[in-house]
Amino acid sequence: MTKQYYDLYVRVPEFDMNICEEVVRLIKQKRYSGFSIAIQINPSFTRVTRSQMNFLEYCAKVAEHYGLDFVKRLDIRLKRVGAIKRFLQRYRRKFEVVSVLGLNREVISFSSRDNRIDIITFYPSKNFKLLKGDIEYIRNSGKHVEFLINYLRECKSNEQLAYRLGLYRKNLELIERKKIIPTFSSGIIYPEFIPDFLSVIDFYEMLGVKRETIIRGLSDYIKALIDKNRKKIMGKMVSPGVEVLDDEREKKICDNLS
Amino acid sequence: MMRERKRYVIIYLKDEIDEETFRKDLIDETINFVGVKGLSFFLPRIVFRKDNIFVIRTTVEGLKIFRSILVLKGGVKGRSVRIIKVTGSLKKAKAVSESLNPSMFSK
């Protein structure tokens, strides 16, 4: 079976139904099997509107028509833990994936310990530090650390790009050494400029990450996370490790046991 | 001495551009990213063109550099570039390019 590649972070310039089909078509042309459009929560935009939710619903329908898997994602970019908690309480079950941008130590520490957060997004600054305790929690709860390409594209000078590439390399090396699950997404606004997955694989390989790890970070790890979260939302996963089986699967497992 | 393995990259450019300008821009971007040493691996050469579809000849190492540039810059000097296919022979690359219709991508 061929691998299913995902771009788990696509941004759209505006939540307009007309651009939805264009986005889906471009993603399909790049040979991805699935993608996610993220709703960003930041200090200047602190609520999820009805029109945004409608847009996501519409995108899901269009993606299904094109044979793509669509994932609803909430991306929280706040510096205060109290505010993040408030959003998690309100929106956790409405989105399939919840991520938090690691803006400071307080946020990183909280994100690695809270089970409602699936992904910690890497922010290229010296403030992004994963300490021993954080790593332990991230590993045990199977959280992902995500690397975005848009931070590298936004660089204004070669010096800044070199500095950020250095941070990426350093943190990728740490994540590989500590056996944390990495995820690689684009985070780019215009889908026309989203790189295809083969380019992403080659790029991160140049930064010293193993090819196998990158491929999994673009496909298997994401698929597993989405499946797990969908089961959670549907109520099939009561608690970690406890799953309600449907009749067919139950029968299969019973047959195997006997 | 063993012959270096080549790769033929079929790309689609959204904008109209002449071959020489595109080649120069590509070399500029490469030097900007990997320097002259990196360029020695890449050394792009446009071997075939049909409208906005180009075939670039490079090495296996050079292909990785080219892809990395596309990831970092999103294209070449602000122009959107899409890799359609990579082949190991010019004959196949030409055949694929001939079979493509540029209007498929311009929609």
Side-chain angles (χ1 to χ4, degrees):
Chain A
M1 209 176 102
T2 52
K3 282 208 184 294
Q4 291 182 308
Y5 291 93
Y6 282 79
D7 188 345
L8 210 53
Y9 200 151
V10 175
R11 277 158 69 195
V12 285
E14 51 188 328
F15 292 95
D16 182 4
M17 303 284 188
N18 298 329
I19 60 164
C20 184
E21 194 156 342
E22 174 76 2
V23 172
V24 176
R25 196 177 55 76
L26 283 164
I27 299 279
K28 178 89 179 171
Q29 273 186 6
K30 308 265 176 187
R31 285 178 282 170
Y32 282 104
S33 305
F35 72 105
S36 154
I37 289 181
I39 289 186
Q40 216 180 76
I41 301 288
N42 52 40
S44 59
F45 200 84
T46 52
R47 68 195 188 96
V48 181
T49 59
R50 188 74 228 155
S51 63
Q52 284 176 331
M53 289 309 283
N54 289 343
F55 177 80
L56 292 186
E57 295 292 340
Y58 182 69
C59 274
K61 274 183 199 162
V62 177
E64 200 185 337
H65 176 73
Y66 275 82
L68 293 177
D69 190 7
F70 180 76
V71 184
K72 287 179 199 162
R73 172 175 175 166
L74 183 71
D75 178 38
I76 304 174
R77 301 182 162 216
L78 297 170
K79 283 183 179 173
R80 288 178 54 213
V81 170
I84 296 174
K85 277 183 187 169
R86 217 169 39 241
F87 276 104
L88 287 172
Q89 230 169 22
R90 203 184 300 167
Y91 295 116
R92 178 62 189 102
R93 294 189 83 82
K94 288 182 181 162
F95 291 89
E96 285 158 337
V97 172
V98 175
S99 67
V100 171
L101 183 68
L103 286 167
N104 54 37
R105 267 301 312 149
E106 203 188 349
V107 171
I108 295 168
S109 171
F110 168 74
S111 314
S112 49
R113 282 158 180 80
D114 194 295
N115 276 335
R116 291 170 293 185
I117 296 163
D118 308 305
I119 297 173
I120 301 167
T121 309
F122 171 70
Y123 184 68
S125 89
K126 60 178 187 219
N127 291 337
F128 191 95
K129 267 184 197 152
L130 291 174
L131 302 184
K132 207 175 172 183
D134 305 331
I135 292 170
E136 195 74 10
Y137 276 104
I138 289 172
R139 217 170 31 200
N140 291 344
S141 54
K143 282 186 205 297
H144 295 217
V145 176
E146 182 185 49
F147 292 85
L148 297 179
I149 287 164
N150 72 322
Y151 290 120
L152 297 171
R153 284 210 189 156
E154 282 166 5
C155 294
K156 288 184 183 93
S157 66
N158 276 348
E159 194 182 345
Q160 195 184 16
L161 176 64
Y163 175 69
R164 286 191 175 177
L165 277 173
L167 287 174
Y168 268 66
R169 186 180 287 128
K170 200 172 116 189
N171 282 283
L172 280 163
E173 191 265 327
L174 175 83
I175 273 162
E176 220 176 0
R177 187 156 42 85
K178 297 288 180 187
K179 295 188 173 65
I180 295 172
I181 305 170
T183 305
F184 305 99
S185 311
S186 64
I188 291 160
I189 294 185
Y190 298 99
E192 196 183 322
F193 294 100
I194 290 175
D196 58 320
F197 59 84
L198 284 169
S199 301
V200 177
I201 293 169
D202 276 348
F203 170 69
Y204 282 107
E205 203 181 6
M206 263 185 73
L207 287 181
V209 189
K210 281 184 202 150
R211 206 172 172 86
E212 186 65 35
T213 314
I214 309 164
I215 292 172
R216 286 195 180 151
L218 281 163
S219 60
D220 299 345
Y221 293 147
I222 297 178
K223 184 95 181 74
L225 173 74
I226 295 164
D227 286 348
K228 189 181 87 180
N229 283 359
R230 280 182 181 156
K231 276 179 193 165
K232 268 188 198 173
I233 291 171
M234 283 163 73
K236 280 189 176 175
M237 198 175 268
V238 187
S239 65
V242 184
E243 197 182 319
V244 182
L245 299 174
D246 49 24
D247 293 343
E248 208 172 286
R249 218 172 135 207
E250 189 186 347
K251 203 179 165 189
K252 212 183 258 180
I253 289 173
C254 287
D255 287 347
N256 282 346
L257 287 174
S258 59
Chain B
M1 203 174 106
M2 229 172 79
R3 222 172 63 172
E4 203 171 21
R5 284 188 301 161
K6 298 282 185 215
R7 287 289 177 265
Y8 296 87
V9 193
I10 305 165
I11 57 167
Y12 170 76
L13 259 83
K14 204 179 173 189
D15 308 320
E16 284 284 337
I17 186 173
D18 66 286
E19 280 176 39
E20 200 45 45
T21 318
F22 178 62
R23 190 172 168 274
K24 272 184 186 160
D25 288 350
L26 200 55
I27 287 172
D28 278 355
E29 287 280 25
T30 313
I31 290 177
N32 207 358
F33 178 49
V34 279
V36 179
K37 193 188 167 194
L39 181 66
S40 71
F41 290 106
F42 183 31
L43 274 181
R45 219 176 124 188
I46 298 164
V47 286
F48 182 75
R49 182 186 181 178
K50 185 196 162 192
D51 302 329
N52 281 9
I53 295 167
F54 290 74
V55 177
I56 295 175
R57 191 179 80 180
T58 182
T59 59
V60 175
E61 275 301 308
L63 176 63
K64 286 184 182 177
I65 292 169
F66 181 47
R67 280 186 164 148
S68 302
I69 291 169
L70 292 188
V71 169
L72 273 183
K73 307 280 179 183
V76 178
K77 297 258 165 135
R79 281 183 218 100
S80 160
V81 175
R82 254 190 67 194
I83 296 179
I84 299 166
K85 195 168 172 64
V86 179
T87 67
S89 71
L90 179 59
K91 193 180 159 189
K92 201 171 175 185
K94 274 183 181 171
V96 173
S97 315
E98 290 286 5
S99 70
L100 292 169
N101 184 4
S103 62
M104 283 160 63
F105 309 102
S106 59
K107 269 182 215 166

